[in-house]
Structures are given as structure tokens and as C-alpha cells.
Amino acid sequence: MKLLFIGDIVGRSGRKAVKNHLSHNQYDFIIGNVENSAAGFGITDKVYHELKDTGINAMTAGNHTWDKKETLSLINNWDVFIRPANLSNKLPGAGYKIFDVLNKKICVINLIGRVFLYTSNCPFETFNNIYKEIPDDAFVLVDFHCEATSEKQAFGYFAKGRANVICGTHTHVQTNDLKMIDTNTLYITDAGMCGAECSVLGMEAGNIIERFITQIPHRFTVETKGNIMFNGFSFTIDDDNIIRDYKLISEIYPEEEM
């Protein structure tokens, strides 16, 4: 079985990159982080269905989960959407889901880090609690949406041997450390992003530069000009859930009309 994880999808440019990469879909199961997919902040019902139609089978989120008001009322209707599990249990939505794929169970867990992000429950303890509920034969993938590389790496070594894949998201900059950290635990600090290649984390550079210089808030806008970039990684698992091969993906598509 061949699986694909897609880094943070940023706005219209990111969605276009995903469509380009999946135009000849060669995967049995696809996971994508979608928390920036609607104009760079959050997700809407329209964008949810658009991404699902491209072939994404599981969608994870992060600190921008609730940026669109409609999310609170619609999240329980989005059957493949997973929000961070270590947020308040009073919030709607699921923090992990188990999917049946080709006679396998694939468990996708979404967690959010605590360093430099808003207050949340401990992701380490939350993983422990979830892991107790997962069937023994499930293949476990964790999207750890986190700012600090140290927190991601610490979680990787904490969960190795239990999680089969531990994937960092949030920084939008792909790291070159896709590797096995246990006999069957694949790890990467950050999968990167899908969006405009010449941008600041997928956004137009001008307003962000102005904010750094003046310290005055400016509205961030998704960059839609220039080449677009697709970041992620693929891997294959055998009948015994053993990871047999893995590959970092970073593709550039020439500028075209958005």
C-alpha cells in the first residue's frame, strides 16, 4: 500500500499544487494538513469538499482550525477532518480517526505543540491516552503541528515504536530529515507546504516585511503569482504494516494563471 502525506496547504496556490500532483493519483491513501487551505487561514465547507474531491482521504489541522466561523457548526459533518486531539474536550470534532483501507486499519492522530503556541493539553499524555484505545493491528500516523523543532524531535523519540509515522507540520519549511528513528517509525520534523514558491510561508512578502519593520499589524494575503510548490512525502507499507520505502517530495510547477 502506498501512502502520501501532504504538507500545509496554503490557500488557492496550495490547492492548485495539490491538484497538479494528484492529477495522476498513484496512492492508496492520502493525508493532508488543511488548516491554511482557505485564503491562508482555516478551512471552509467549500474548500473541504474541493480537497476531498482531489483524492485526500484524511485532513489534519492545527492552530488555525477555528479561523473560519463555520467550522464550529460544520466540523462534525466533515467525515475525514481531524482537529488537534489535545484541545479542550468541550470542542466539537475528533482528534483522531481510524480508516479502513484495503483490509488495513489506518489511525490518523492530530496533535498540537505547546511551545510558542496557544495553551493546550499535554500532547505527550494525550497520545498515551489515545494509544490505549487504538486496535493493536492499526497503522498509526501522527501529525504533530508544532512550532519548535525540539518539541517535535522530543515527541518523535517519545512515541517511536508505537506510532509508525510521526510527521511535523506548521512551519511551512520542509526539513531534510525524513528517516527511520526506530525499526518501524518514520519521522520528519516538518513536511513543508504547498503554495507559492516565492513567498513568505505562502503569503505575499510585502505586508509581512512591513510588519517586521514597523511592528504594526498588516493583513496577510496568499501569494498567487509565480511558480507553485508541492511538499510532502510518500511511503509504502507491506501486509505486516512494515514501512519498506519512503521518499521526500518537493516539486515546483511553472507559473500559470490561478
Side-chain angles (χ1 to χ4, degrees):
M1 181 189 298
K2 189 169 185 178
L3 293 84
L4 171 71
F5 187 94
I6 302 173
D8 297 52
I9 302 166
V10 184
R12 187 159 42 125
S13 302
R15 301 197 308 270
K16 179 66 174 177
V18 170
K19 290 176 185 176
N20 284 354
H21 184 79
L22 297 181
S23 59
H24 301 289
N25 190 345
Q26 55 184 316
Y27 306 102
D28 299 302
F29 192 75
I30 301 170
I31 310 101
N33 188 290
V34 303
E35 68 139 15
N36 300 119
S37 57
F41 301 94
I43 186 170
T44 63
D45 191 57
K46 180 180 178 180
V47 169
Y48 168 83
H49 288 288
E50 176 187 336
L51 290 172
K52 192 175 180 181
D53 288 344
T54 67
I56 296 178
N57 305 108
M59 302 183 195
T60 53
N63 56 300
H64 290 294
T65 301
W66 314 106
D67 282 11
K68 297 292 188 284
K69 292 182 180 180
E70 63 189 88
T71 299
L72 276 171
S73 60
L74 293 176
I75 190 171
N76 286 328
N77 297 331
W78 296 340
D79 58 342
V80 303
F81 186 87
I82 305 161
R83 52 90 166 162
N86 54 320
L87 300 180
S88 170
N89 58 16
K90 295 182 179 179
L91 290 168
Y96 76 95
K97 290 189 176 184
I98 298 175
F99 301 85
D100 292 315
V101 186
L102 300 178
N103 297 318
K104 287 185 179 294
K105 296 184 185 299
I106 299 177
C107 177
V108 179
I109 304 171
N110 192 192
L111 296 168
I112 193 167
R114 298 202 286 188
V115 179
F116 305 128
L117 290 171
Y118 54 64
T119 302
S120 61
N121 297 320
C122 177
F124 297 79
E125 292 179 355
T126 301
F127 175 79
N128 276 345
N129 293 334
I130 293 173
Y131 190 73
K132 296 173 185 176
E133 303 174 358
I134 299 172
D136 291 339
D137 60 344
F139 184 90
V140 180
L141 180 145
V142 180
D143 176 351
F144 192 29
H145 198 78
C146 181
E147 184 77 39
T149 55
S150 58
E151 189 176 8
K152 293 178 183 179
Q153 290 180 336
F155 181 83
Y157 288 105
F158 170 79
K160 72 174 184 176
R162 294 181 290 169
N164 301 98
V165 177
I166 300 164
C167 174
T169 57
H170 179 66
T171 68
H172 295 203
V173 178
Q174 189 180 73
T175 53
N176 192 27
D177 63 343
L178 182 66
K179 60 188 176 184
M180 302 297 294
I181 58 172
D182 192 65
T183 54
N184 198 39
T185 299
L186 180 63
Y187 171 88
I188 186 171
T189 300
D190 203 285
M193 74 162 193
C194 299
E197 179 188 20
C198 295
S199 66
V200 177
L201 307 183
M203 299 294 178
E204 292 180 0
N207 286 341
I208 295 178
I209 293 170
E210 190 68 18
R211 179 169 180 169
F212 277 119
I213 293 172
T214 66
Q215 298 294 293
I216 297 173
H218 289 75
R219 181 176 179 176
F220 296 165
T221 305
V222 171
E223 179 61 79
T224 58
K225 298 176 183 177
N227 296 341
I228 54 177
M229 175 171 58
F230 179 93
N231 284 170
F233 63 95
S234 64
F235 56 97
T236 301
I237 57 176
D238 67 13
D239 292 340
D240 297 317
N241 285 343
I242 302 299
I243 298 171
R244 293 299 182 188
D245 61 79
Y246 50 91
K247 178 184 177 182
L248 197 62
I249 302 172
S250 183
E251 298 178 343
I252 303 297
Y253 299 103
E255 179 178 4
E256 57 182 276
E257 188 66 33
M258 290 287 166

